[in-house]
Amino acid sequence: MDLQAQIQLLIDNAPQDGVIPQLVTAIAPVLSAIAQKLRHSQYYILQNMEQSWVLTTLSDRANPPLEKRVIYAFPTIQDVPLRSSAGLDPQLVAAPIPVTHILFQLVAMEPVDSIVFFETPRTNTDSIEVRRADLQNLIQQQLQQNRPKREIPPDIA
């Protein structure tokens, strides 16, 4: 599915409250720009039976208290490790999710610091990390550019 179709699906599936579809339309250029830097139009995300995405907490080897919470996005179903630290977990499934939908979800995922997109099948060394804070900043810039500028009347005094 191409990026335009993915964006349209996001708009169509958004709550029709008059706000969310407009918001998706406004931030679509940011979602598309990041998605174009990634190699795949969809990725597989590990999730539990409630469809919550599996979060992995990473700690810095040099500074163990320094942690970040990531979600891994895999290029193919074969790349998804269906094992948790407790061994094979039948409660986990790998779901294919369009790349723009992953990015859109990331914006609202409060505990998540970033999503790591693995780009090359059968290897975990080629990846691109998209940080939630960076994505939020780009979206803020986009929304500010699109905000209608209010004209100040010349006779204000």
Side-chain angles (χ1 to χ4, degrees), residues 86-108:
L88 202 57
D89 189 344
Q91 302 298 311
L92 298 179
V93 295
I97 302 175
V99 65
T100 57
H101 297 213
I102 295 170
L103 295 169
F104 184 71
Q105 290 285 336
L106 175 60
V107 176

Side-chain angles (χ1 to χ4, degrees), residues 15-83:
Q16 297 303 309
D17 59 4
V19 175
I20 304 289
Q22 284 183 323
L23 179 66
V24 173
T25 302
I27 67 172
V30 172
L31 299 177
S32 292
I34 293 172
Q36 286 172 359
K37 293 178 183 172
L38 299 166
R39 289 191 200 141
H40 305 279
S41 62
Q42 77 173 12
Y43 288 83
Y44 289 83
I45 303 280
L46 204 53
Q47 56 188 33
N48 62 24
M49 291 302 171
E50 292 82 40
Q51 297 185 334
S52 295
W53 294 358
V54 174
L55 193 60
T56 301
T57 302
L58 305 173
S59 54
D60 188 330
R61 288 190 182 129
N63 186 3
L66 190 62
E67 293 182 339
K68 72 175 167 181
R69 295 163 306 276
V70 302
I71 290 173
Y72 292 119
F74 300 93
T76 71
I77 188 78
Q78 292 80 17
D79 292 306
V80 179
L82 291 175
R83 286 171 298 187

Side-chain angles (χ1 to χ4, degrees), residues 86-154:
L88 202 57
D89 189 344
Q91 302 298 311
L92 298 179
V93 295
I97 302 175
V99 65
T100 57
H101 297 213
I102 295 170
L103 295 169
F104 184 71
Q105 290 285 336
L106 175 60
V107 176
M109 297 180 101
E110 213 37 63
V112 178
D113 295 308
S114 56
I115 294 187
V116 176
F117 292 91
F118 291 106
E119 293 292 70
T120 304
R122 295 174 298 286
T123 180
N124 61 2
T125 56
D126 182 18
S127 64
I128 294 176
E129 180 178 5
V130 176
R131 293 183 29 204
R132 186 168 62 88
D134 295 342
L135 181 58
Q136 287 175 324
N137 288 339
L138 289 169
I139 287 172
Q140 280 302 108
Q141 291 170 14
Q142 179 70 24
L143 292 175
Q144 286 173 354
Q145 285 175 3
N146 285 357
R147 188 180 313 151
K149 294 178 176 41
R150 284 187 236 129
E151 295 271 333
I152 299 173

